[in-house]
Amino acid sequence: MLLGLACTVGMAYAQAAIPVYGFLVKNTYPHDPRAFTQGLLFKDGHLYESTGQNGQSSLRKVDLKTGRVLQREMLDQSVFGEGITDVGDEIMALTWTTQTGYVFDQKTFKLKRKFAYKGEGWGLASDAKYVYMSDGSAAIRVLDPKTLAEVRRFDVKAEGKPIERLNELEMVDGQLFANVWGADVIARIDPNSGKVVGWIDLTGLLPPAQRGTENPDAVLNGIAWDKHGKRLFVTGKLWPKLFEIELIEIQRH
C-alpha cells in the first residue's frame, strides 16, 4: 500500500477551512496506455470509459482486473469525445467543441439519439435526480435527465474563490467529485451550494516519470465510484495504470 501524504498540502487549491485528503492505494490494475481518458464510470461489474482525440474517440466497456477492452464504439472522426455518465440503461456522452452529445444503449452501444448544448463539453455525472455537466469553467450545469435541457447552473467556489478548469465528474455518496484539469487534485463539491467541501491531493499517485510518455496531456483524469462495493477508482489520460484508492483525511483546521 502507498500512503499519499500530500506534502504539497500548501497547494494553490487548499484553503484553511477545507479538509484535505490523501490516499491509500488498495489495488492497482492495468489501463490502456493509448486511452486518452475523458470519462470513467463503474456499473454492473465493469468499467465504462470514454476516450478523446479526433479520429480516436470511443466509448468502451472494460474488464477491471485485466484492463481488456470488451466492447468499443468509435465516434465519428470529426469529433473529440469527452465525459460520460449513465442514466438508467443509457450512457450519455459529450463532445468537446461540436456542441453535440450522444445517448447510447448501455448494452449494445447503439446510438439512440443526440442532444445539443451551447459551449464546450467536458465532464458528466448523474444522481437519482439530475445530470451534472462541466464545461472547463467554474460552472456546473444541471440537466434534466430525460430531456437533457438545462435546469440551472452553479459556480464551484472554495472559500469564495471560483475554481475553474473543472473536468471529469463523478457523484460519490451525494458529493460531486471533479478533476481539476492539469492538477493532481480532485475537488469534493456540495452540489446544492457549489461549495468545495474537501480536496483530494493525489500528488505522487503516478509520477510523470512513471506514466510511460512525455506527452504533457498525460494528466490525472478519470473518477469512477462503485456505489455497491464502496470502491473509488482513479486514472489519467494515457496512464498505464488504474488505481483503487481509499481516502485518508490528513489536514483539517
Side-chain angles (χ1 to χ4, degrees):
M1 290 187 178
L2 171 67
L3 174 60
L5 293 177
C7 296
T8 58
V9 162
M11 58 191 173
Y13 298 99
Q15 303 290 324
I18 301 176
V20 177
Y21 299 81
F23 61 91
L24 284 169
V25 173
K26 302 191 71 176
N27 287 295
T28 302
Y29 303 99
H31 179 253
D32 182 358
R34 297 166 297 179
F36 197 83
T37 305
Q38 301 290 74
L40 195 69
L41 65 91
F42 185 89
K43 187 175 183 181
D44 300 333
H46 292 96
L47 287 167
Y48 291 83
E49 182 174 18
S50 59
T51 65
Q53 302 282 30
N54 293 91
Q56 301 176 38
S57 297
S58 67
L59 173 64
R60 304 172 170 199
K61 180 179 180 180
V62 180
D63 181 75
L64 170 64
K65 292 185 177 180
T66 66
R68 186 166 64 94
V69 178
L70 304 175
Q71 189 175 352
R72 185 189 336 240
E73 179 69 23
M74 299 300 297
L75 303 187
D76 188 278
Q77 293 195 357
S78 65
V79 304
F80 194 117
E82 284 285 346
I84 57 171
T85 194
D86 64 308
V87 175
D89 59 358
E90 297 178 334
I91 294 178
M92 299 171 183
L94 297 176
T95 58
W96 183 21
T97 58
T98 46
Q99 303 186 83
T100 302
Y102 299 88
V103 180
F104 297 95
D105 181 272
Q106 180 194 326
K107 292 184 178 180
T108 66
F109 282 9
K110 180 180 179 181
L111 179 63
K112 298 178 70 173
R113 60 188 183 278
K114 298 181 181 181
F115 62 98
Y117 51 87
K118 294 183 179 180
E120 296 184 356
W122 285 44
L124 282 176
S126 59
D127 58 18
K129 294 183 178 180
Y130 300 109
V131 171
Y132 301 85
M133 172 183 167
S134 64
D135 59 15
S137 69
I140 297 292
R141 308 181 194 190
V142 183
L143 312 180
D144 181 288
K146 293 182 179 180
T147 65
L148 297 176
E150 184 174 330
V151 176
R152 66 182 179 94
R153 65 173 63 190
F154 59 86
D155 285 339
V156 174
K157 296 182 179 182
E159 298 294 291
K161 176 185 176 182
I163 303 300
E164 298 186 344
R165 297 181 296 161
L166 299 175
N167 200 2
E168 217 270 302
L169 305 175
E170 181 75 1
M171 189 62 69
V172 180
D173 281 349
Q175 290 183 354
L176 189 62
F177 282 26
N179 284 120
V180 179
W181 185 84
D184 287 338
V185 296
I186 292 173
R188 301 177 64 157
I189 303 161
D190 179 343
N192 296 310
S193 66
K195 292 181 179 179
V196 174
V197 295
W199 290 109
I200 303 168
D201 187 350
L202 296 181
T203 303
L205 176 64
L206 187 66
Q210 298 178 23
R211 295 176 188 178
T213 176
E214 295 182 356
N215 190 321
D217 288 329
V219 297
L220 179 75
N221 196 58
I223 311 166
W225 174 243
D226 173 10
K227 62 182 179 181
H228 299 296
K230 301 297 181 182
R231 296 183 295 172
L232 181 63
F233 303 102
V234 293
T235 190
K237 303 174 188 288
L238 308 175
W239 283 22
K241 297 179 181 180
L242 178 142
F243 302 91
E244 178 191 345
I245 61 172
E246 177 182 345
L247 303 183
I248 308 294
E249 187 172 337
I250 58 174
Q251 175 179 302
R252 179 183 286 273
H253 290 274

